[in-house]
Amino acid sequence: MSYTPAPRDPKAPLVRINLLSDTQTRPTPAMREAMARAEVGDEQIGDDPTVNLLCQRVAELLGKEAAVFMPSGTMCNVAATLAYCRPGDEILAHATAHVIAREGGAHAALGGFQITPLSGDDGQFAPETFRAALHPRSRYQPPQVLVSVEQTANIGGGTIWKKSALDEIVGIAKAHGLATHMDGARLLNACVATGISARDMAAGWDSAWIDFSKGLGAPIGGVIAGSRDFIDEVWRWKQRLGGSMRQAGICAAACIHALDHHVDRLADDHANARALARGLSQIDGIEVQQPETNLVFFKPDGAGVAGDNMVAELGRRGVLLAMMDGRIRACTHLDVTAGMIEETVGLVREIVRRA
Ligand SMILES: Cc1ncc(COP(=O)(O)O)c(C=O)c1O
């Protein structure tokens, strides 16, 4: 698993087309206006009305009792696992999951838990794989406490977990006394792509969260939802981790604006991702994973250009994307237009021709 975001070379050309990540979105003028108008208070003592409204809206959206605003999606995962588990406990997640691969080892460093990586295609494990990894409680084996899934699965290619698989995993987990956590960094992408509501996607899951700083276009923030008791415990960890804030309503206003204006338009990102995949797959030798949402993974090696070289060549032409796990990942979002996709395909074609 490799992903090292390199610092930008100050002499690199201006980025014209930014396909690096949906985290690269900039707040729109309307979002900035909403932020400027936000009513604020002291979030840490529960006095920020805009944060409170955001939490209420997300709790309703996800069909849970309560919710809490966090500075980042990573903190949603870290605080949730800390709330569920004790040192020595075991979490089960897909081998490519963010909780395993991209949170700086927080679960081990801060919680002393172990995570069992489950295998499976496209960032998803089959319910049977999960069932097979469970063991009876005994003094010899670590207590299995939590199962976590990513909807959508990032490194899997932005793939969507089927509702039937999610339900099956919840059923198995409950039968074995495990809690269930949904990393919903891109949950709304899955909802828009399938037409299944966020409430239904998260139904049965003890906790779920959504990220506002990705395709939704806000500068900061995730909101995690669950039972009132669970959220109280997450609040304790948020305080311990230094994540409690003050006049955070300015940021929450951006998130509310995103809920009102940037959810349905995720369909445009998905259409752009499909157009990119279609264009790339028409170039001989380029291997493309068909996107289900806004992430497009491809390998140009068969066309005579190594992935690293393709990323570097595109970078010289002002197109930013990254290698992830031996493939190139392109991510569509709010600041990417259909024209930019067409131009990117044209540039890839030109680089392959020259090679
Ligand atoms: C699946 C998944 N979970 C969690 C995160 C962490 O979110 P954040 O960048 O807001 O900390 C990411 C970020 O890319 C992600 O892709």
Side-chain angles (χ1 to χ4, degrees):
M1 168 77 48
S2 61
Y3 172 59
T4 317
R8 289 249 325 134
D9 174 353
K11 284 189 244 115
L14 219 59
V15 176
R16 294 177 303 108
I17 302 177
N18 193 334
L19 298 167
L20 185 66
S21 173
D22 40 12
T23 56
Q24 300 282 304
T25 52
R26 306 292 163 101
T28 60
M31 182 178 274
R32 286 173 189 261
E33 255 180 57
M35 295 172 79
R37 280 197 313 269
E39 257 189 80
V40 295
D42 188 337
E43 189 259 358
Q44 193 174 110
I45 60 169
D47 253 2
D48 188 300
T50 312
V51 171
N52 293 345
L53 175 62
L54 173 68
C55 291
Q56 195 187 326
R57 286 202 46 187
V58 175
E60 275 164 21
L61 185 78
L62 296 175
K64 308 293 177 208
E65 276 178 7
V68 53
F69 188 39
M70 302 293 257
S72 69
T74 298
M75 201 183 277
C76 289
N77 278 339
V78 172
T81 52
L82 287 163
Y84 283 121
C85 306
R86 297 290 160 266
D89 284 353
E90 180 182 342
I91 301 170
L92 297 99
H94 191 271
T96 59
H98 203 274
V99 286
I100 295 183
R102 289 182 162 76
E103 293 176 3
H107 54 277
L110 305 175
F113 334 126
Q114 45 190 324
I115 305 195
T116 296
L118 300 177
S119 58
D121 293 339
D122 301 334
Q124 302 182 19
F125 50 85
E128 310 82 69
T129 306
F130 170 46
R131 197 194 304 274
L134 295 171
H135 52 68
R137 292 208 171 239
S138 82
R139 77 175 68 133
Y140 301 107
Q141 288 165 299
Q144 295 179 307
V145 168
L146 180 68
V147 60
S148 176
V149 299
E150 250 174 56
Q151 179 71 304
T152 64
N154 177 3
I155 303 304
T159 56
I160 301 170
W161 284 81
K162 286 208 166 60
K163 171 79 177 121
S164 54
L166 293 176
D167 288 347
E168 218 179 315
I169 288 165
V170 165
I172 297 167
K174 295 297 160 205
H176 287 79
L178 272 73
T180 51
H181 173 71
M182 180 180 283
D183 169 339
R186 297 183 182 82
L187 170 60
L188 296 183
N189 290 84
C191 295
V192 167
T194 58
I196 299 174
S197 70
R199 174 181 279 259
D200 283 350
M201 281 289 191
W205 292 79
D206 294 310
S207 51
W209 62 269
I210 55 177
D211 210 328
F212 285 94
S213 66
K214 297 202 161 57
L216 294 179
I220 190 171
V223 176
I224 181 163
S227 70
R228 216 168 289 286
D229 285 350
F230 169 77
I231 292 302
D232 281 350
E233 196 55 24
V234 170
W235 251 113
R236 188 192 309 281
W237 278 107
K238 168 169 144 142
Q239 179 67 22
R240 282 177 178 156
L241 294 168
S244 297
M245 297 175 272
R246 299 299 183 184
Q247 287 70 39
I250 290 196
C251 300
C255 303
I256 291 173
H257 179 86
L259 281 179
D260 290 339
H261 301 282
H262 293 173
V263 176
D264 293 344
R265 65 147 310 283
L266 291 171
D268 301 343
D269 299 342
H270 302 167
N272 282 336
R274 285 194 299 273
L276 178 61
R278 206 165 36 244
L280 292 173
S281 61
Q282 283 161 4
I283 303 171
D284 266 356
I286 297 207
E287 210 182 292
V288 190
Q289 180 180 346
Q290 283 316 304
E292 296 181 15
T293 52
N294 68 328
L295 305 177
V296 181
F297 281 78
F298 67 100
K299 272 183 102 152
D301 305 61
V305 187
D308 290 352
N309 291 340
M310 178 61 79
V311 169
E313 287 292 335
L314 284 168
R316 276 183 212 115
R317 291 160 175 82
V319 180
L320 193 61
L321 23 68
M323 286 298 286
M324 221 177 255
D325 261 1
R327 297 179 295 166
I328 300 176
R329 190 188 81 167
C331 185
T332 57
H333 52 75
L334 193 58
D335 296 340
V336 174
T337 64
M340 291 178 183
I341 295 296
E342 228 176 275
E343 189 179 342
T344 303
V345 172
L347 290 171
V348 171
R349 198 185 296 281
E350 176 205 311
I351 292 162
V352 167
R353 201 176 45 238
R354 281 171 185 242

